Amino acid sequence: MPPKKAIAFGKIGSFGQLSISTQPVTISEDIGFGKFGKSDEEFRVEPTADVERAMGFQGFGKNKGAPVKKFDLESLVEQSKQFARERNTLKASEAVNSVEVEATEDVIGPTSLPQTTESIVKESEKNEVSLAQKKSSKMTTKTHSDDEDADSSNSEDDDETGTYIPAVLEVNLNHGTKPVSALSVDHSGARLISGSVDYDVKLWDFAGMSSSLQSFRTIRPCESHPILDLHYSITGDAILIISGTAQAKVVDRDGYEKAECVKGDQYITDMARTKGHIASLVGGCWHPRDKQEFLTCSQDGTCRIWNVEDVKQHKGIMKSRSQNGLRAAPTSCTYSRDGNLIACACNDGSIQMWDHRKMFVNTSVLIRNAHQSGTETSSIVFAYDGRNVATRGGDSTLKLWDIRQPKSPVHMAGDLFSRFSMTNCAFSPNDRLLLTGTSFQKGESGGKVVFLDRTTFERVHEIDVPKAHVVRALWHPKLNQIIVGAGDGNIHLYYDAAKSHNGAKLCLGKQKKIRPHEMMSTVRVITPHALPMFREDKPRSTRRAMEKARKDPLLSKQPDLPIGNKGSGGRVATSGSTLSSYIVRNLGIASRIEDEGNPREAILRHASAAAANPYWVSPAYSKTQPKPIWAPENNDGDEEPDAKKGKLN
């Protein structure tokens, strides 16, 4: 039996190679797999000095006493600087050579002396100084000559601080002659809707409107009731219309009616048991997250939540109460930005809020005496951050509240007179400004749009609207444009050509559409060999036919001629002036009855015919009745009969 080969596991020495001995190993018969363990005879350590020298870690191995190499940082920096100087001089010399070559190609004559690198650096410095001086001189001339550049520089500063107002340019849309009481722009900024106290609602499309600035549709959704508020839904496919009636309406994007809320029973005192409002509406808005839900408030002392799909009954109801427990009529209402709070301002000066996630039994936030009692708080709006609420009171004040500490207002601004109960307030898109409108009093030139800083409530800017009150004002975040509804029926759009987007900028560049007159000319086809039945007559002059039709009263549509005293043709005095004659005429009697003649003569006219041919009455009384004897006619009207003459004594 041949000897078994031993199984050997090699060992990697320190930085050496694996070497396996070829000497046979004796294996005992008891152990079948050989010996597992270290054997000094199987492995040999080879020298690794050459490997360590090539790899560069000779000092980290066994030779620990070798000195460590040291680096001098200052010398390295100096070397890098020297290398940079040499490279810069080389580049400068190459630039000089290229300039000389170009000059020799263009200029005829002796060439100038080459410039050194120092002169090139000096000239570059001079050029930079001259450019800086030119820029400074241009800036000074612009600031002194042109005011728009100064305004642009100020606008840049305002933009950095977040108080920039895009009111550089203005566009006017004419709604009518009455005050514009409602405005709304959809979230995409494509369409604008406006309402007025003249009962009309106009829809404007910025993309489809030309420079003529005309609305594409005008509707009157609520008959003879003024429009108080308008709102686009979050998707822009529905519009909520709040008017002076007790029923809110929802129309689609093109103005066609989709739903109308039901009216409640006026004879039920408990408002929770009625299906709808029983008094005129004052405000409403859409839910900011749910496109099917909207809110309305009315003078019946309730705020109701509705669903567009089912407007036959309200979805929820909130009753506003005054401090003594009586009914308090809301004047405006709104949702918070996240839709968790419902807030309304009442005519007793209070602000009441309910949590949308709970039962509407008690208020979650209540602010008594927020504004003067008996005045109409025309607007209440939440900030974009959801912490603050702004209210526009009928007591000429604008107040900012913190819902976390509602005991007292954070800021208050006065001297904001308004004549309308629809005047609103709004936050800027960056939440740093508040804007509202004012009405002008005697001695003033017009209303104003006032902008207030949110942190200090100082007046940052004012936009004058000449000879008109400011009723509505809003700042669209996507368009970055300010839309103002005035009391003279105009809508003012303020924007900046550089920082505003679309909106009014779309329609100004389009020319007015001129519709050409459509002229249809009849072409006559000449067919000389056509059959008689298909042959057309030659066109003749229509003058003779027109003269003939002129004589016909029906074809010419001749107006009725003036009637005389008796009347004719069934008008006014036909067949006499009495009702009986008119009835007889309609019964079929063709002969005209002359009521102006003597009735006795008219009866005696038929006496001879009745005596010659008696038919109705005379045969029945011919034997019993005596012969009638008629009194002779007396031509002298002054002589009295003998029976009436007085007796002579």
Side-chain angles (χ1 to χ4, degrees):
M1 183 176 181
K4 294 182 180 180
K5 294 183 179 180
I7 299 175
F9 292 90
K11 178 181 180 182
I12 300 176
S14 59
F15 308 106
Q17 296 179 355
L18 178 64
S19 61
I20 304 174
S21 62
T22 58
Q23 297 179 359
V25 180
T26 57
I27 303 172
S28 61
E29 295 180 359
D30 298 336
I31 301 173
F33 290 95
K35 179 181 179 182
F36 295 91
K38 295 181 180 179
S39 177
D40 296 335
E41 298 178 355
E42 295 179 2
F43 302 99
R44 295 193 306 268
V45 179
E46 294 182 355
T48 58
D50 297 335
V51 179
E52 293 174 0
R53 193 180 301 108
M55 298 294 291
F57 48 81
Q58 185 177 2
F60 300 95
K62 296 179 180 179
N63 192 7
K64 296 182 179 179
V68 181
K69 188 176 180 180
K70 297 181 180 180
F71 298 95
D72 190 1
L73 297 178
E74 295 180 358
S75 62
L76 293 175
V77 172
E78 290 296 334
Q79 291 177 3
S80 62
K81 287 183 179 179
Q82 184 65 24
F83 179 73
R85 291 193 195 98
E86 293 176 356
R87 186 177 58 183
N88 291 335
T89 53
L90 182 60
K91 287 184 178 180
S93 62
E94 292 177 356
V96 170
N97 295 331
S98 63
V99 170
E100 289 177 355
V101 171
E102 292 178 357
T104 55
E105 291 177 356
D106 298 336
V107 180
I108 300 174
T111 59
S112 59
L113 296 175
Q115 296 179 352
T116 59
T117 57
E118 295 179 357
S119 61
I120 292 174
V121 172
K122 289 181 180 180
E123 286 185 0
S124 62
E125 292 178 355
K126 289 181 181 179
N127 293 332
E128 291 177 359
V129 172
S130 62
L131 289 173
Q133 290 177 354
K134 288 180 181 179
K135 288 181 180 179
S136 62
S137 62
K138 287 181 180 179
M139 290 298 293
T140 53
T141 53
K142 285 183 179 180
T143 52
H144 289 292
S145 62
D146 198 359
D147 295 336
E148 294 182 357
D149 293 340
D151 295 338
S152 63
S153 62
N154 294 333
S155 66
E156 290 177 359
D157 297 338
D158 294 340
D159 195 10
E160 292 177 358
T161 58
T163 59
Y164 176 71
I165 299 169
V168 180
L169 301 175
E170 179 183 359
V171 175
N172 292 335
L173 306 177
N174 186 13
H175 178 92
T177 58
K178 300 295 181 66
V180 179
S181 57
L183 280 176
S184 181
V185 182
D186 61 350
H187 290 265
S188 62
R191 287 191 176 182
L192 166 70
I193 184 170
S194 61
S196 175
V197 295
D198 60 357
Y199 322 134
D200 289 339
V201 174
K202 290 191 175 183
L203 288 85
W204 314 76
D205 189 1
F206 292 119
M209 186 166 50
S210 64
S211 58
S212 60
L213 304 177
Q214 298 293 328
S215 62
F216 72 92
R217 181 157 298 165
T218 301
I219 59 174
R220 183 168 289 187
C222 303
E223 297 181 353
S224 59
H225 294 278
I227 307 300
L228 302 180
D229 207 353
L230 295 169
H231 286 281
Y232 270 99
S233 62
I234 55 174
T235 55
D237 59 346
I239 303 169
L240 176 63
I241 300 177
I242 303 296
S243 64
T245 62
Q247 298 170 272
K249 281 191 177 183
V250 178
V251 298
D252 63 0
R253 189 176 176 84
D254 295 327
Y256 297 103
E257 184 176 339
K258 293 179 62 178
E260 183 179 9
C261 297
V262 69
K263 186 177 181 181
D265 192 349
Q266 299 180 352
Y267 298 98
I268 298 177
T269 57
D270 188 3
M271 292 294 101
R273 297 185 179 277
T274 59
K275 297 181 179 180
H277 292 290
I278 63 172
S280 61
L281 301 174
V282 292
C285 64
W286 288 94
H287 193 281
R289 302 288 179 85
D290 188 2
K291 67 177 183 179
Q292 301 292 336
E293 182 180 324
F294 63 92
L295 173 70
T296 58
C297 62
S298 172
Q299 293 181 356
D300 59 2
T302 60
C303 297
R304 298 176 191 261
I305 300 174
W306 304 84
N307 192 343
V308 180
E309 302 298 333
D310 184 15
V311 292
K312 298 301 181 182
Q313 188 173 5
H314 61 260
K315 183 179 176 182
I317 182 172
M318 292 143 285
K319 300 179 183 178
S320 56
R321 298 294 182 184
S322 60
Q323 192 169 5
N324 54 7
L326 300 178
R327 178 186 299 176
T331 57
S332 61
C333 62
T334 186
Y335 281 99
S336 61
R337 299 290 177 177
D338 56 0
N340 293 332
L341 282 179
I342 298 174
C344 77
C346 304
N347 59 356
D348 63 342
S350 64
I351 299 174
Q352 303 181 21
M353 302 182 189
W354 294 268
D355 194 341
H356 195 287
R357 297 162 294 184
K358 300 178 182 178
M359 297 292 293
F360 305 123
V361 179
N362 297 323
T363 58
S364 59
V365 178
L366 179 61
I367 306 174
R368 295 290 183 188
N369 302 321
H371 289 276
Q372 184 179 351
S373 179
T375 60
E376 294 186 5
T377 304
S378 57
S379 177
I380 178 171
V381 61
F382 279 84
Y384 286 95
D385 57 8
R387 296 194 303 266
N388 295 103
V389 178
T391 56
R392 179 68 163 90
D395 53 357
S396 302
T397 60
L398 176 65
K399 295 184 180 181
L400 185 67
W401 305 85
D402 191 346
I403 59 177
R404 297 168 297 182
Q405 296 177 354
K407 293 184 179 179
S408 61
V410 179
H411 296 290
M412 182 181 68
D415 195 16
L416 300 171
F417 176 70
S418 177
R419 298 181 183 273
F420 297 90
S421 61
M422 296 83 70
T423 305
N424 69 326
C425 61
F427 284 89
S428 63
N430 59 2
D431 246 2
R432 295 186 179 181
L433 295 177
L434 266 169
L435 69 151
T436 186
T438 61
S439 303
F440 68 92
Q441 298 179 352
K442 187 176 182 181
E444 297 180 356
S445 60
K448 297 179 180 179
V449 183
V450 182
F451 295 85
L452 303 173
D453 192 350
R454 179 181 173 182
T455 56
T456 60
F457 248 50
E458 296 179 356
R459 294 199 179 191
V460 178
H461 186 69
E462 291 180 353
I463 300 176
D464 295 328
V465 181
K467 299 180 181 180
H469 307 285
V470 177
V471 185
R472 290 278 182 175
L474 56 93
W475 192 337
H476 197 272
K478 190 171 183 179
L479 300 179
N480 196 20
Q481 298 179 10
I482 300 172
I483 300 100
V484 176
D488 57 353
N490 291 326
I491 304 171
H492 303 268
L493 281 79
Y494 300 95
Y495 67 97
D496 189 348
K499 298 181 180 180
S500 298
H501 308 285
N502 298 335
K505 296 171 62 179
L506 292 177
C507 54
L508 292 179
K510 296 183 180 180
Q511 297 181 356
K512 296 181 180 180
K513 295 181 180 179
I514 300 175
R515 296 181 179 178
H517 297 287
E518 296 180 356
M519 301 296 293
M520 297 293 292
S521 59
T522 58
V523 180
R524 181 173 177 269
V525 180
I526 300 174
T527 55
H529 303 290
L531 296 175
M533 59 185 303
F534 299 108
R535 192 174 300 168
E536 296 180 359
D537 296 335
K538 295 181 179 180
R540 299 178 180 178
S541 176
T542 58
R543 180 178 179 182
R544 186 170 296 178
M546 291 176 63
E547 291 178 354
K548 187 176 180 181
R550 184 67 178 171
K551 296 178 181 179
D552 191 352
L554 297 178
L555 295 178
S556 63
K557 298 181 180 180
Q558 180 182 0
D560 296 333
L561 298 175
I563 60 175
N565 296 329
K566 298 180 181 180
S568 62
R571 293 186 303 144
V572 184
T574 303
S575 303
S577 58
T578 60
L579 178 62
S580 60
S581 63
Y582 176 75
I583 294 174
V584 170
R585 176 70 175 173
N586 290 340
L587 287 177
I589 299 177
S591 62
R592 303 178 67 182
I593 300 174
E594 300 291 343
D595 292 343
E596 288 79 5
N598 190 356
R600 185 172 182 275
E601 293 180 357
I603 295 174
L604 292 178
R605 190 189 312 168
H606 306 282
S608 58
N613 188 18
Y615 184 77
W616 296 105
V617 180
S618 298
Y621 299 98
S622 59
K623 296 180 180 180
T624 58
Q625 291 294 330
K627 186 177 180 180
I629 300 173
W630 304 101
E633 292 184 357
N634 188 8
N635 296 328
D636 191 2
D638 295 336
E639 185 179 357
E640 294 181 355
D642 296 338
K644 293 185 177 181
K645 290 182 179 180
K647 294 181 180 181
L648 297 176
N649 294 330

